[in-house]
Amino acid sequence: MGLIFISLLLTAAIVAILLLVGQNRALHSTLMEKQEEAALPTYSRQEPEDESVWDDSMEADEPTKHEADIAILVSMNEDTEEAKAKLEEANIQLKSSIERANKLAIKAQSASVAKSEFLANMSHEIRTPMNGIIGVTTLLIDTDLNEDQHELASTIQRSGKALLSIINDILDFSKIEAGLLDIEVRDFDLKNVLDDLKAILALQAEEKGIDLKVRVDSSAPAMLRGDVGRLRQVLTNLTGNAIKFTHKGEVSLDVQLANEHDDHVHLRFEVRDTGIGIAEEQLPNIFAAFQQQDASTSRKYGGTGLGLTICKQLVEIMGGEIGVESTEGKGSLFWFNIPVNLQPTQKGQISFEFDAGGGRGATEDDHTATQDILLETRQRIKKHKSAIRVLVVEDNRVNQTVAVRTLEKMGIEAEAADDGEEAIERLIDTHYDFVLMDVQMPKMDGLETTAAIRRLEAENNLSRLPIIAMTAHALSGDRERCLEEGMDNYITKPINVADLSDVIIQWLEKEVG
């Protein structure tokens, strides 16, 4: 709202400036006309052809004409002075309006920068302890616990992830409101996106005893190019909501090819459920911020009321539209259409159905999935390299523990440095295969440390050391800034074991050729 108010003030200032410029021009034109009219006329005494015609009356008329001319000149001079005064006043007002407009523009820019910095700091300060809570709990669950201890630790982990989801919603909403959310375009496989979605939500649907079906139009292309992260976020939110508000029956996701062009397509996604539905009077406001059907809905099902608002804004940022149809007590249909580019070299079609065995098993919990990822990563490392040594540069001791222990479970030898200065000392004395680098640290932050490492490599003709940003900064542009400063990859906190594994595997495959 603050930015909208400032924009209105700027618009009013610009309109005032244009009006004053117009008044300035009008006064200037009037002044020029008066000055032209003020040119003194010359009179010459013409002798009449017939001297007898000349009489004393003509002599008497001559001074009267001169007096009239003088009176006109005096009047015109007064008008000119008045016009000049108005012109000067208009110029003063114009200058004052320009100064006010400049001040407003500076204030607006300062407010935008301040809001951006606040969001970045909030993201970092909230995600850092959440990384410790979720990460340490994951490590705890992997120890020798009895049944009660395992259940308590799992409860902590689930609660931490639920809190993180709420935090992400609030941060996303704030980023969108501040205009700080951009689209990140990259290649992706639609089948993999839907496969992952089914794997993530299958257990949730199974626990409630409802069916989760995913169907894809056989003519829909698989190899696409767009913001896969935001697409996945919208699909997860809509499908997760459908499961949350459905107690029996089924939830289905249908993907249809709306229309096709040479280089892009329009896809329609429909999420249908047999849940509680939405009252007709609530439908017009369903995508408004902090809106749920009523207070009892919020108490019973939880949530911030921001999920659908974020979905709507993300879909619109991607150039699409979103809508809903619902009958209270019978279920709902949420749909959205978005344009998606085709990958330049591949336009293959897909035709597949998800079944009970599709993706991750429905009975497989997050802990089992994490163990599978750690084991698979360990096996792939042993296959390609005898040993890997990694330096974790992190000032927070809890996050150090989480990162080092997670890497060790992957079969990687890991050591920690508290800040950038210590990291450089260690790198001079010891060989490491790659570095996990926090960005915000005391003494020397991650970007400064990376720059110093790159200078040492250039000065001593050393091979490039892979540096992976491991940071709680998760705003638009953070990834790009890290890569521009010399880092090679980027993962966010709280650390996701699958994301960390993907980064390590990518590096390993590049290393072995």
Side-chain angles (χ1 to χ4, degrees):
M1 290 300 293
L3 289 178
I4 294 173
F5 177 70
I6 291 172
S7 299
L8 291 174
L9 287 178
L10 284 173
T11 302
I14 292 170
V15 171
I17 291 170
L18 292 175
L19 290 174
L20 288 171
V21 169
Q23 183 181 4
N24 193 338
R25 290 180 176 175
L27 289 170
H28 181 71
S29 176
T30 302
L31 178 61
M32 294 300 296
E33 291 175 359
K34 293 290 186 181
Q35 288 176 339
E36 291 176 1
E37 294 173 1
L40 182 64
T42 58
Y43 294 89
S44 61
R45 179 172 176 172
Q46 296 183 357
E47 299 292 339
E49 294 179 2
D50 186 356
E51 293 183 3
S52 63
V53 176
W54 191 273
D55 57 25
D56 293 339
S57 63
M58 296 182 69
E59 290 287 350
D61 289 341
E62 188 171 354
T64 302
K65 291 179 179 178
H66 283 297
E67 290 174 358
D69 291 338
I70 291 172
I72 292 172
L73 289 175
V74 170
S75 175
M76 292 175 63
N77 184 59
E78 291 175 352
D79 291 344
T80 301
E81 291 299 326
E82 183 181 356
K84 285 183 177 179
K86 289 183 178 180
L87 181 60
E88 290 176 359
E89 182 182 355
N91 282 330
I92 292 172
Q93 293 177 1
L94 177 61
K95 184 178 179 181
S96 177
S97 296
I98 292 173
E99 289 176 354
R100 286 198 301 270
N102 287 336
K103 289 179 180 179
L104 287 172
I106 292 171
K107 286 182 179 179
Q109 185 177 10
S110 299
S112 178
V113 171
K115 198 165 188 177
S116 176
E117 291 176 351
F118 173 77
L119 287 174
N121 290 332
M122 284 297 295
S123 175
H124 182 272
E125 294 304 319
I126 293 173
R127 286 174 180 273
T128 296
M130 286 306 302
N131 180 61
I133 294 170
I134 296 174
V136 171
T137 305
T138 301
L139 294 173
L140 178 63
I141 292 174
D142 196 38
T143 61
D144 188 16
L145 301 176
N146 61 38
E147 186 175 346
D148 288 340
Q149 291 170 333
H150 189 279
E151 182 180 352
L152 292 173
S154 297
T155 301
I156 295 173
Q157 186 184 53
R158 287 194 299 271
S159 299
K161 289 183 177 180
L163 177 58
L164 180 63
S165 176
I166 293 172
I167 291 169
N168 286 337
D169 278 351
I170 295 172
L171 288 173
D172 277 342
F173 180 72
S174 300
K175 286 186 286 185
I176 293 171
E177 288 291 292
L180 300 175
L181 194 72
D182 295 326
I183 295 299
E184 182 182 350
V185 178
R186 56 178 174 171
D187 293 343
F188 68 93
D189 186 334
L190 180 61
K191 184 180 185 301
N192 290 341
V193 173
L194 300 176
D195 205 359
D196 291 344
L197 179 71
K198 179 69 181 287
I200 292 170
L201 298 176
L203 180 61
Q204 185 180 343
E206 170 104 351
E207 289 175 345
K208 298 191 70 173
I210 60 177
D211 294 330
L212 175 60
K213 298 179 180 179
V214 181
R215 298 181 289 263
V216 183
D217 185 350
S218 61
S219 61
M223 311 309 292
L224 303 172
R225 185 172 177 80
D227 194 332
V228 62
R230 297 305 174 188
L231 173 61
R232 184 182 288 113
Q233 184 175 354
V234 174
L235 288 173
T236 302
N237 200 318
L238 294 180
T239 311
N241 273 355
I243 295 172
K244 180 167 67 173
F245 293 108
T246 301
H247 301 293
K248 61 180 181 179
E250 68 174 35
V251 171
S252 63
L253 167 61
D254 290 278
V255 184
Q256 304 167 7
L257 177 64
N259 54 64
E260 186 175 11
H261 303 274
D262 291 338
D263 59 351
H264 72 280
V265 296
H266 282 79
L267 296 178
R268 179 180 176 90
F269 297 84
E270 295 184 350
V271 178
R272 190 184 303 270
D273 65 64
T274 57
I276 63 175
I278 303 167
E280 184 176 356
E281 62 271 17
Q282 295 291 334
L283 287 175
N285 300 318
I286 197 65
F287 292 106
F290 307 107
Q291 291 290 325
Q292 292 189 336
Q293 289 202 56
D294 51 42
S296 62
T297 301
S298 179
R299 289 193 298 269
K300 183 175 182 179
Y301 296 98
T304 60
L306 289 174
L308 291 178
T309 303
I310 293 171
C311 286
K312 182 177 187 296
Q313 292 174 326
L314 289 178
V315 168
E316 290 175 351
I317 289 173
M318 290 188 286
E321 60 179 348
I322 189 170
V324 59
E325 302 170 13
S326 184
T327 302
E328 189 171 11
K330 294 185 178 180
S332 303
L333 166 64
F334 282 87
W335 59 266
F336 66 95
N337 295 329
I338 56 168
V340 188
N341 291 332
L342 296 168
Q343 290 185 24
T345 57
Q346 300 188 48
K347 297 184 180 180
Q349 304 296 304
I350 57 174
S351 177
F352 57 93
E353 291 283 342
F354 282 86
D355 54 30
R360 195 175 74 198
T363 59
E364 185 177 15
D365 60 18
D366 288 340
H367 173 61
T368 304
T370 299
Q371 293 302 307
D372 290 344
I373 293 170
L374 293 172
L375 179 59
E376 180 184 356
T377 306
R378 179 189 287 269
Q379 291 174 342
R380 296 186 70 169
I381 289 173
K382 285 184 176 181
K383 179 180 178 181
H384 296 291
K385 277 182 89 72
S386 57
I388 295 177
R389 175 177 286 179
V390 174
L391 179 64
V392 176
V393 187
E394 166 67 70
D395 63 305
N396 184 288
R397 290 300 177 90
V398 175
N399 290 334
Q400 276 187 12
T401 300
V402 172
V404 170
R405 293 281 187 88
T406 303
L407 289 169
E408 288 174 347
K409 288 180 179 296
M410 293 179 178
I412 296 172
E413 181 182 349
E415 299 176 2
D418 292 335
D419 54 57
E421 292 180 357
E422 182 182 347
I424 291 175
E425 293 176 1
R426 285 176 174 268
L427 289 170
I428 292 174
D429 297 333
T430 308
H431 169 76
Y432 294 95
D433 293 290
F434 65 89
V435 175
L436 285 178
M437 181 79 71
D438 186 23
V439 173
Q440 187 168 314
M441 296 184 293
K443 295 183 181 179
M444 181 183 289
D445 67 28
L447 300 179
E448 294 171 336
T449 305
T450 299
I453 293 171
R454 297 305 181 217
R455 284 195 298 271
L456 286 174
E457 291 172 346
E459 292 169 359
N460 297 281
N461 196 27
L462 301 174
S463 58
R464 183 182 178 92
L465 176 67
I467 301 176
I468 300 165
M470 179 185 62
T471 176
H473 288 286
L475 295 182
S476 173
D478 288 335
R479 176 185 177 87
E480 291 73 15
R481 184 163 59 98
C482 290
L483 298 180
E484 288 172 0
E485 293 296 330
M487 295 183 174
D488 299 285
N489 215 321
Y490 175 97
I491 59 174
T492 59
K493 300 175 187 174
I495 295 175
N496 182 288
V497 174
D499 291 341
L500 179 59
S501 174
D502 288 343
V503 168
I504 293 172
I505 296 302
Q506 288 175 17
W507 165 79
L508 187 61
E509 291 176 347
K510 187 176 180 180
E511 183 76 7
V512 299

